[in-house]
Amino acid sequence: MATAELLRQLVKSGSEGDHQSFRRISEELIRDERAKNHHLLANDLEKILYGRRKTDASLHSMLNDKLPKDKERNLPLLQIREPVRSLEEVALSDENSSLLNELLHERHRAEILSGYGLYPVDKLLFCGPPGCGKTLTAEVLAYELGLPLAVVRVDSVISSFLGETASHLQQIFDYASSMPMVVLFDEFDAIAKERSDEAEHGELKRVVNAFLQMLDAYAGKSVLVAATNHDQILDFAVWRRFDEVFVFELPDLSQLRSLLAIKLRGLRRDFDIENAGVIACFEGMSHADVERVIRRAAKEMVLKGQHLLSEQHLLSAIKRENTRKERMRKC
């Protein structure tokens, strides 16, 4: 149905107080916008229609009070974070953007899916080089779903005591099942390394076995996200346990253009970000590299008492970034 006709019906049902028709037409309008690939608008309309549950101080206090801990050192196994960055603040590849939008759509319509015995995906694997947006995308996912982000602390989870690591993982799965949240297993390869690796001891292999069993048995309402920079060393059996796999790579020119627009938002400048020469300066950089360069350039502008960000500020910051990387390679 044409959007104009849908809008007429929407206004009519709203003015007449027909809530059932208003909801039905709104859902049809959202489907229509999504079919046109207007995913950001469709997501916004869904949040307005179904509501975006905001986490509050009392919920965070309750989550922190119930945090599972390592008995040996009394360290929390997770860290609770309030997500603050939205979908508009991440530059994803077309494939990852499509996957994320599908996931958000499923989560927003979970109640309808359940009526057909279907459920939204809840186990995701993020893989790719460092600084390419894996952690940020997990935060964006949490923000868009109105859920807290719980980051698993690998340093606390892995224990030197026999059987304790698997016990810690079970506590995390139990915690994730207690209430909806987005749980991020960062540096996932530390607990899911290939079991056939002869250099690894038997305890780690038992941990991988236990983790696979926990993934298979998981039936909570939280979204589990595993992120790794070293997907090539993951155990082969791990891959099929995840509903979706997001592959993150260095941004291409299109992503760089979007990324620069995001990071330079609110900064007065004397250059056009559509300038091919400006974009080319950032080729080969990760998302984190770009953010670091722009932050340095902005600091230089402010400290020099200047009011416009220039290409020279960018070039100076890029030179420092290249020097930094060279030093890191020599270490």
Side-chain angles (χ1 to χ4, degrees):
M1 188 184 296
T3 301
E5 181 60 28
L6 281 176
L7 290 173
R8 291 190 188 95
Q9 292 185 22
L10 187 68
V11 173
K12 183 174 184 293
S13 62
S15 64
E16 294 175 351
D18 186 345
H19 299 296
Q20 186 173 356
S21 293
F22 182 84
R23 190 181 183 92
R24 175 181 56 77
I25 297 165
S26 296
E27 290 174 344
E28 191 171 344
L29 182 62
I30 290 169
R31 286 195 295 272
D32 188 51
E33 292 302 323
R34 199 173 290 283
K36 297 174 184 175
N37 290 321
H38 298 163
H39 295 296
L40 287 177
L41 176 58
N43 289 337
D44 285 343
L45 291 175
E46 282 182 339
K47 282 188 285 187
I48 293 170
L49 183 62
Y50 303 119
R52 179 182 179 274
R53 188 166 49 78
K54 295 181 182 294
T55 57
D56 55 30
S58 60
L59 175 58
H60 270 257
S61 177
M62 180 172 63
L63 287 169
N64 281 304
D65 287 344
K66 294 184 177 181
L67 275 178
K69 295 184 177 181
D70 167 23
K71 294 178 182 177
E72 178 191 355
R73 296 161 290 178
N74 200 38
L75 294 174
L77 301 179
L78 304 100
Q79 179 186 26
I80 303 300
R81 298 179 188 172
E82 173 68 17
V84 296
R85 291 185 283 188
S86 67
L87 196 58
E88 290 81 4
E89 296 177 67
V90 61
L92 297 172
S93 66
D94 290 342
E95 183 176 1
N96 283 347
S97 180
S98 177
L99 283 173
L100 185 58
N101 279 302
E102 286 177 17
L103 170 61
L104 291 172
H105 186 48
E106 286 188 17
R107 301 297 299 190
H108 287 312
R109 308 298 297 279
E111 189 175 331
I112 292 175
L113 287 175
S114 66
Y116 291 86
L118 301 170
Y119 302 94
V121 299
D122 58 6
K123 294 186 280 287
L124 311 172
L125 177 61
F126 291 179
C127 54
C132 285
K134 297 186 293 297
T135 302
L136 172 58
T137 303
E139 179 184 350
V140 167
L141 175 60
Y143 178 91
E144 294 295 334
L145 294 176
L147 298 175
L149 176 65
V151 182
V152 176
R153 293 186 51 174
V154 175
D155 60 328
S156 301
V157 170
I158 297 178
S159 172
S160 59
F161 288 93
L162 189 67
E164 275 301 296
T165 301
S167 175
H168 290 162
L169 289 171
Q170 186 61 65
Q171 290 180 66
I172 290 170
F173 273 87
D174 292 342
Y175 182 74
S177 299
S178 66
M179 63 187 75
M181 64 188 83
V182 173
V183 181
L184 174 61
F185 291 83
D186 211 355
E187 300 180 36
F188 179 58
D189 46 280
I191 54 176
K193 196 172 180 182
E194 175 60 57
R195 285 169 292 180
S196 62
D197 187 345
E198 295 180 359
E200 293 299 338
H201 52 79
E203 172 66 0
L204 182 57
K205 295 176 183 180
R206 285 190 289 271
V207 167
V208 177
N209 287 335
F211 188 83
L212 293 176
Q213 291 172 3
M214 293 173 201
L215 273 179
D216 285 338
Y218 178 71
K221 293 185 178 180
S222 294
V223 181
L224 308 182
V225 179
T228 177
N229 301 333
H230 306 287
D231 54 282
Q232 70 278 4
I233 65 173
L234 292 181
D235 190 272
F236 181 75
V238 164
W239 293 85
R240 65 183 178 84
R241 260 69 179 196
F242 291 95
D243 302 313
E244 295 288 356
V245 176
F246 287 65
V247 178
F248 292 79
E249 297 175 325
L250 293 176
D252 58 20
L253 292 179
S254 175
Q255 285 176 264
L256 281 174
R257 188 177 292 109
S258 299
L259 194 57
L260 288 174
I262 293 168
K263 300 304 178 184
L264 290 170
R265 190 186 299 149
L267 277 173
R268 296 179 63 198
R269 56 188 184 275
D270 64 3
F271 59 88
D272 186 355
I273 58 173
E274 295 294 326
N275 185 310
V278 171
I279 296 172
C281 291
F282 292 89
E283 276 194 85
M285 289 191 183
S286 69
H287 294 69
D289 295 336
V290 173
E291 184 170 357
R292 193 161 41 245
V293 164
I294 292 175
R295 189 166 55 244
R296 276 206 196 102
K299 285 180 180 179
E300 181 181 343
M301 175 193 72
V302 171
L303 293 174
K304 287 184 175 181
Q306 298 167 340
H307 303 288
L308 290 176
L309 190 70
S310 68
E311 287 188 53
Q312 188 55 48
H313 292 133
L314 292 179
L315 292 174
S316 175
I318 289 171
K319 183 178 179 180
R320 284 190 57 190
E321 179 64 18
N322 290 337
T323 300
R324 172 182 173 273
K325 287 184 176 179
E326 188 60 34
R327 287 173 180 166
M328 289 173 62
R329 279 194 287 268
K330 291 178 179 179
C331 291

